[in-house]
Amino acid sequence: MRWSLKNLIQVVAILAIALTFLTSTTVAYQVHKQSLIHSTLEANYAYVQKLTSTTDTYLREILNTLEVNAEVVLSLLDDPSSQTQMNALAERIRTETNTFDSVAVASTEGVILGASSPSRELVGEELTSIGAMQAIKEKRKIISHPYVGIEGEPIIFISVPLFENGEYKGFLGGAIYLDQPNILEKLLGNHYYENGSYVYVVDYAGKLIYHQEKERLKEDVSSNPVVQKLITGESGHKQLINTKGIPMLAGYAYVPIAEWGIVVQRQLDISVAPAKEMVLEMAFKSLPLLLLSFFLVRYLSRKIALPLQKLAYYTENSVESDQKEKMEAISDWYYEAKQLKGAMVHSLDYFKNEMNYFIHQSTIDPLTKLTNRRMMDSYMKQWVDDGTPFALIIFDIDKFKRVNDRYGHAVGDEVLIYLADWMQRTVRKQDICCRYGGEEFVILLPKSDKVTAYLTAERLREKMEDTVSPCGEVITISSGVGAYPLHANHPARLIELADQSLYEAKRTGRNKTIVVSDEPRQK
């Protein structure tokens, strides 16, 4: 059966429209998907770096606490009647640090001289655990590798040596039971973003020492590609298939002081789900125009002519390149050809605009409607490439977790929107307000110096402390301010320095703004 030209025109035109639509939605989906993957990897890496820094700082503080108390222990060692005092000291360390399950003072042979509850009945007995033997052998500050205790429980032992006039007298140390509530749960238990991501920690050999599923403790996950990198001391982010066969987006970082690796990861399908929703929304919005286009093709196909054949050809090839100019050059000497040409050109423009719209949407934070981190990085890169000076304010809400815990996350979201609104009211027209992540925000001030940024940050801070937020309470913010190129020659370094100033503001009382020091520093 030979087809008529009318039917051929209809088939080709309809096929061209369908291909144009499918190509547009596929490209939009792929672009948005890659954007989501990139932003998720960067967010997980940024967060795991913060967790690593916090964990490192906490472990150093624990070692410092033991060192300070070691001086007191030394003063008691030569007193035969000091056992009660050493027991009390060990108990005080255990309860005040809220880190150890048990604390002990031991001699050079590992004999327990004093202990906290519940290990007090072991005073006078010799410690033979791997952690104690390592402390005696190495005679230095240690955070032991995880080992199995007498009753099969996984343990980490942290200790400092006791030296008096250069002579080794024993050690002071504490045990952490990994299968009980412990330091890692305090530091890592509540994942910041609450978006399906989770955290786990491995030791130097690739065994789990912290996981939300406690039954997985001591499981060997060294075959995981990310864990393999952590074992060699690397940090970064990666898309991978985990040991359970699930595609993941992971950020990972190494903790040198303990030879641990921390991983923050999120399932790939959860991360890219918004891209699928975007395609469905695009298809729904495009449906009326698609139906209209199909009816127009059916009507105009009755007028067989060369212009229609050209339109069909150019439309079919528009999936590979922009054919708009060629379509506009077609002779439309009769009404039908003119209408079809207009419909095709309009369809191409519409799908192009739709794709641009959804790509634009991927650069906006959906909750606060502020610029997201991806675009923030793009602005700073462009300014650095152009040699344009700029200033940066990074700040977050003081004690925001308390707002979420007390009033719920819905009210917490209202507080974030409220802060975003005041940001936009406070800044200049050319300034760019960004959501950096969670309750952390950034304001970019192009062609500005640190003084302008400081004054802007202070205006916003004063407005916050003088205004009642949606939770019914006044919220305050702490800020760090930096300027390019005064403080750093790279955006990442500038953010790092400003973030340090932010944490300095928090450490010294909150509700304040601190500017990065102008003193020379490593860049």
Side-chain angles (χ1 to χ4, degrees):
M1 178 179 176
R2 184 172 295 180
W3 286 40
S4 67
L5 185 55
K6 170 186 171 181
N7 291 334
L8 288 174
I9 292 175
Q10 287 181 343
V11 170
V12 172
I14 291 173
L15 180 61
I17 293 173
L19 288 175
T20 301
F21 173 74
L22 290 174
T23 301
S24 300
T25 53
T26 300
V27 170
Y29 172 76
Q30 291 297 333
V31 170
H32 192 36
K33 176 183 176 181
Q34 291 304 315
S35 174
L36 290 170
I37 291 174
H38 180 72
S39 61
T40 300
L41 287 171
E42 287 189 337
N44 283 349
Y45 181 53
Y47 185 56
V48 79
Q49 285 182 307
K50 286 189 177 182
L51 289 181
T52 302
S53 175
T54 302
T55 302
D56 182 84
T57 300
Y58 193 91
L59 291 173
R60 293 183 187 278
E61 289 177 355
I62 291 301
L63 287 171
N64 184 61
T65 299
L66 291 176
E67 285 186 310
V68 171
N69 284 279
E71 298 296 328
V72 181
V73 172
L74 285 170
S75 68
L76 300 175
L77 285 179
D78 296 328
D79 185 354
S81 63
S82 64
Q83 180 182 319
T84 301
Q85 293 174 277
M86 282 196 284
N87 287 343
L89 176 63
E91 179 66 15
R92 178 172 62 81
I93 295 173
R94 186 183 73 85
T95 56
E96 287 184 355
T97 62
N98 199 25
T99 297
F100 300 110
D101 293 283
S102 64
V103 177
V105 179
S107 69
T108 57
E109 295 78 26
V111 177
I112 300 178
L113 305 177
S116 68
S117 61
S119 303
R120 199 161 288 167
E121 66 272 17
L122 300 177
V123 172
E125 295 189 12
E126 182 178 353
L127 288 172
T128 58
S129 67
I130 294 175
M133 293 299 95
Q134 184 181 355
I136 294 172
K137 179 181 179 181
E138 298 184 13
K139 298 181 178 58
R140 63 178 180 85
K141 296 186 291 185
I142 65 164
I143 299 174
S144 76
H145 299 314
Y147 61 92
V148 178
I150 297 176
E151 298 180 0
E153 70 279 3
I155 297 174
I156 289 175
F157 192 70
I158 302 177
S159 67
V160 297
L162 301 174
F163 280 102
E164 185 175 33
N165 297 324
E167 181 182 359
Y168 181 65
K169 295 289 187 177
F171 63 84
L172 169 64
I176 301 172
Y177 296 159
L178 296 178
D179 60 353
Q180 302 294 328
N182 58 66
I183 173 181
L184 296 180
E185 285 189 344
K186 297 174 189 176
L187 294 174
L188 311 175
N190 294 319
H191 183 29
Y192 189 86
Y193 293 107
E194 300 180 355
N195 59 358
S197 301
Y198 65 93
V199 181
Y200 67 86
V201 182
V202 296
D203 66 9
Y204 75 104
K207 292 184 178 180
L208 289 172
I209 61 174
Y210 170 77
H211 197 282
Q212 292 175 335
E213 301 171 10
K214 287 187 177 295
E215 62 273 15
R216 296 190 64 185
L217 290 178
K218 299 187 292 184
E219 180 179 334
D220 188 343
V221 293
S222 58
S223 61
N224 185 300
V226 162
V227 175
Q228 291 175 359
K229 290 183 177 294
L230 286 171
I231 291 174
T232 62
E234 297 182 44
S235 299
H237 55 72
K238 183 178 181 63
Q239 181 176 340
L240 72 149
I241 305 295
N242 70 4
T243 54
K244 300 295 184 181
I246 302 173
M248 290 286 182
L249 300 175
Y252 56 94
Y254 184 66
V255 186
I257 189 175
E259 296 185 321
W260 296 348
I262 302 178
V263 181
V264 176
Q265 64 181 14
R266 188 184 189 199
Q267 288 189 25
L268 175 63
D269 57 353
I270 296 176
S271 299
V272 301
K276 298 178 182 177
E277 296 172 0
M278 179 207 70
V279 170
L280 291 176
E281 183 180 355
M282 184 176 179
F284 179 78
K285 289 186 176 181
S286 302
L287 184 59
L289 184 59
L290 286 173
L291 293 174
L292 175 61
S293 298
F294 292 154
F295 281 115
L296 284 173
V297 168
R298 183 175 179 83
Y299 169 72
L300 296 174
S301 64
R302 298 173 184 174
K303 306 296 182 179
I304 302 172
L306 180 60
L308 299 185
Q309 294 176 331
K310 290 183 178 180
L311 281 174
Y313 174 79
Y314 290 143
T315 302
E316 186 178 18
N317 284 276
S318 65
V319 299
E320 299 177 356
S321 60
D322 188 0
Q323 301 289 344
K324 180 180 177 181
E325 292 183 2
K326 293 182 179 179
M327 285 186 178
E328 290 177 338
I330 294 174
S331 174
D332 54 347
W333 53 271
Y334 59 92
Y335 177 78
E336 289 79 4
K338 182 177 181 180
Q339 291 297 103
L340 182 57
K341 185 179 76 173
M344 293 299 110
V345 171
H346 178 70
S347 295
L348 290 176
D349 284 341
Y350 176 80
F351 291 129
K352 183 178 179 181
N353 291 337
E354 283 289 289
M355 185 175 66
N356 290 337
Y357 167 76
F358 284 109
I359 292 174
H360 171 73
Q361 286 297 96
S362 69
T363 66
I364 300 299
D365 175 61
L367 177 64
T368 62
K369 309 306 178 187
L370 300 179
T371 298
N372 65 15
R373 182 174 176 180
R374 178 171 175 267
M375 280 305 296
M376 181 192 81
D377 292 339
S378 177
Y379 280 124
M380 289 193 292
K381 181 180 183 302
Q382 185 61 51
W383 292 340
V384 170
D385 290 344
D386 295 342
T388 302
F390 65 94
L392 175 147
I393 306 167
I394 185 168
F395 63 93
D396 67 8
I397 301 173
D398 296 326
K399 300 180 179 179
F400 183 64
K401 185 177 184 298
R402 184 176 64 84
V403 174
N404 279 334
D405 291 344
R406 178 175 294 182
Y407 302 104
H409 290 282
V411 174
D413 287 347
E414 291 297 323
V415 171
L416 295 177
I417 295 170
Y418 156 82
L419 175 56
D421 180 56
W422 274 111
M423 287 171 64
Q424 293 172 313
R425 295 191 199 183
T426 303
V427 301
R428 305 169 302 177
K429 183 177 180 180
Q430 66 268 34
D431 297 336
I432 300 168
C433 298
C434 313
R435 186 179 183 191
Y436 192 66
E439 81 275 18
E440 200 165 18
F441 296 83
V442 168
I443 299 175
L444 300 178
L445 300 91
K447 300 181 180 179
S448 299
D449 56 19
K450 65 178 183 179
V451 176
T452 302
Y454 174 79
L455 295 175
T456 301
E458 281 295 284
R459 284 199 304 272
L460 181 59
R461 184 190 65 79
E462 291 168 2
K463 179 57 67 175
M464 290 298 99
E465 70 177 359
D466 290 338
T467 310
V468 177
S469 74
C471 70
E473 297 180 6
V474 171
I475 64 167
T476 61
I477 61 174
S478 299
S479 305
V481 172
Y484 167 86
L486 176 62
H487 297 131
N489 288 329
H490 191 278
R493 179 58 176 164
L494 182 60
I495 290 175
E496 179 185 0
L497 294 175
D499 201 45
Q500 291 173 4
S501 295
L502 162 61
Y503 279 95
E504 178 66 15
K506 285 186 171 293
R507 189 185 68 80
T508 56
R510 300 185 176 89
N511 192 22
K512 63 172 64 176
T513 301
I514 293 182
V515 180
V516 175
S517 171
D518 291 346
E519 295 180 3
R521 62 185 75 231
Q522 183 178 0
K523 298 183 179 179

